[in-house]
Amino acid sequence: MIHEKVMLTDVTGRDGFQMEDWIETEEKIIIINEIIAAGVKRIEATSFVSPKAVPQLKDAKEVMKHINRENVNIIALIPNVKGAEFALESSVDEVNVVVSVSETHNRKNVKKSVDESLEGIIEIYRLVESAGKKVNVGLATTFGCPFEGIYEVNRVTEVMKKLTANGLSSFMLADTTGMANPLQVSNFIKSLKGAFPSTDLSLHLHNTRGMGLANILAGYHSGIRSFDASLGGIGGCPFAPGATGNVALEDVAHMFYQMNIPIDPNLTKLIRAAKKLEEVLGYKLPGQVMKAGLSTDLHQA
Ligand code: COA
Ligand code: ZN
């Protein structure tokens, strides 16, 4: 059976690096270029946000200038029009904006109400679309919020309604602090696909409670073909208590590879990049395949 390709988007440079102590710009560029060299076709490389809110990424402009832009779509996360203008000046291919389904998390993250964020996103969309670039909306805390708990899918539907009515059509369902379970993922996707049949949905899942791969698989079986992940499984939201890393990119790649589902990156090169990142960060990363090797790598008897 020939399977449809799965798009893996690397978020190491943004979601990953925003959770680390300061990493030198040159080292960031080396890591991102390794990820590109491994064949990843979409990368969220940085964010153009307030340097007071996320000082770890205050070098966004420099990073954008020096990464290898061939054969890859580079995305930057932005919180407002100012960020959109910076991102366009740096010739991003796409921008990611973010709004939380949870009112409390949204205020912690961007100091605005959900409604204010939605208005801001619509304004950003007009600006970025007129520049011919794509806008994707990350729906943080889709599957539950560390402050407000788990909610019904209609909370997500309400947020999406206002945005789709204004032309936005690409959404990342984000499990910011790993509260999702596979059944919930399937149920939410079924409802959202039913309510918004012509939108593109992708999944941005954190592995906070070890359910990341199971949730990705549930998403895959529900028809999702686009997933975010980060090298070695680093990352998290600085404005959500208990947040930890994404699902490790090389672990996700390994799972799809084993299932004969086509993906772009080369697994061996991804593992090499994850090991390099581990050296740069100086601590053991949570990724598992980078420690165990490929399941097809045999040992001497
Ligand atoms: N890029 C660079 N600087 C920015 C900026 C941007 N996109 N947006 C605002 N700033 C600067 C302002 O110029 C101002 O600087 P100053 O104090 O030197 O004058 C400062 O940041 C505060 O700006 P203000 O508009 O008052 O914002 P705020 O303090 O209400 O913060 C956000 C709101 C959204 C800008 C801020 O919370 C933010 O950037 N959050 C990012 C959250 C994030 O990345 N979360 C992780 C990903 S989910
Ligand atoms: Zn994240």
Side-chain angles (χ1 to χ4, degrees):
M1 181 179 170
I2 299 173
H3 297 284
E4 244 178 278
K5 195 173 191 172
V6 159
M7 172 60 79
L8 298 180
T9 301
D10 174 80
V11 298
T12 306
R14 199 279 300 171
D15 202 318
F17 292 168
Q18 78 183 9
M19 279 299 268
E20 300 297 328
D21 294 337
W22 175 250
I23 303 169
E24 292 302 329
T25 308
E26 296 71 37
E27 292 187 313
K28 287 178 179 149
I29 293 164
I30 289 171
I31 295 297
I32 294 171
N33 281 342
E34 288 261 335
I35 298 167
I36 296 168
V40 178
K41 297 288 178 227
R42 273 181 100 229
I43 293 190
E44 192 185 42
T46 188
S47 63
F48 289 93
V49 301
S50 159
K52 284 180 189 140
V54 185
Q56 293 92 328
L57 302 183
K58 64 182 181 193
D59 55 359
K61 190 176 170 186
E62 277 304 293
V63 168
M64 288 296 294
K65 199 154 103 193
H66 294 288
I67 53 178
N68 182 355
R69 303 285 304 267
E70 276 165 45
N71 297 319
V72 62
N73 258 33
I74 297 293
I75 310 164
L77 179 110
I78 54 153
N80 50 21
V81 167
K82 186 172 186 161
E85 286 164 352
F86 287 143
L88 291 173
E89 277 167 27
S90 286
S91 308
V92 289
D93 299 300
E94 302 175 37
V95 301
N96 284 352
V97 293
V98 66
V99 57
S100 303
V101 173
S102 144
E103 200 65 51
T104 317
H105 182 261
N106 202 62
R107 283 188 190 278
K108 298 259 180 204
N109 196 31
V110 290
K111 304 184 189 171
K112 285 184 191 149
S113 69
V114 171
D115 275 338
E116 285 166 336
S117 276
L118 295 179
E119 273 162 34
I121 288 173
I122 293 161
E123 195 186 346
I124 291 169
Y125 173 64
R126 294 202 182 110
L127 173 75
V128 174
E129 201 203 19
S130 67
K133 308 289 165 124
K134 191 177 173 207
V135 180
N136 313 292
V137 183
L139 299 170
T141 66
T142 287
F143 300 97
C145 163
F147 306 104
E148 296 188 10
I150 291 175
Y151 20 69
E152 301 294 320
V153 70
N154 59 2
R155 287 274 296 268
V156 187
T157 317
E158 284 309 308
V159 173
M160 282 178 69
K161 243 185 219 161
K162 292 185 192 162
L163 295 171
T164 51
N166 283 280
L168 288 124
S169 63
S170 172
F171 295 89
M172 282 113 46
L173 308 175
D175 187 20
T176 310
T177 58
M179 292 171 72
N181 69 69
L183 193 59
Q184 181 197 19
V185 169
S186 308
N187 289 339
F188 271 41
I189 290 166
K190 195 170 167 215
S191 298
L192 295 174
K193 279 187 156 200
F196 307 101
S198 50
T199 54
D200 291 331
L201 297 180
S202 70
L203 284 173
H204 175 101
L205 302 171
H206 281 261
N207 198 32
T208 324
R209 293 175 176 82
M211 292 201 282
L213 272 186
N215 289 334
I216 287 183
L217 192 60
Y220 177 80
H221 286 309
S222 306
I224 302 292
R225 295 291 178 269
S226 176
F227 302 93
D228 286 359
S230 73
L231 215 54
I234 66 168
C237 175
F239 310 100
T244 60
N246 290 266
V247 191
L249 177 62
E250 55 304 342
D251 293 0
V252 182
H254 183 261
M255 179 179 80
F256 285 123
Y257 181 74
Q258 290 299 98
M259 293 167 71
N260 279 323
I261 292 165
I263 49 168
D264 291 308
N266 173 294
L267 209 38
T268 308
K269 289 184 182 170
L270 278 186
I271 292 172
R272 207 183 302 149
K275 287 186 175 163
K276 187 162 233 164
L277 176 64
E278 188 167 77
E279 258 171 55
V280 167
L281 297 180
Y283 67 89
K284 279 267 169 253
L285 302 187
Q288 290 180 294
V289 172
M290 66 183 286
K291 302 185 186 88
L294 308 188
S295 51
T296 46
D297 291 345
L298 300 184
H299 296 265
Q300 286 264 309

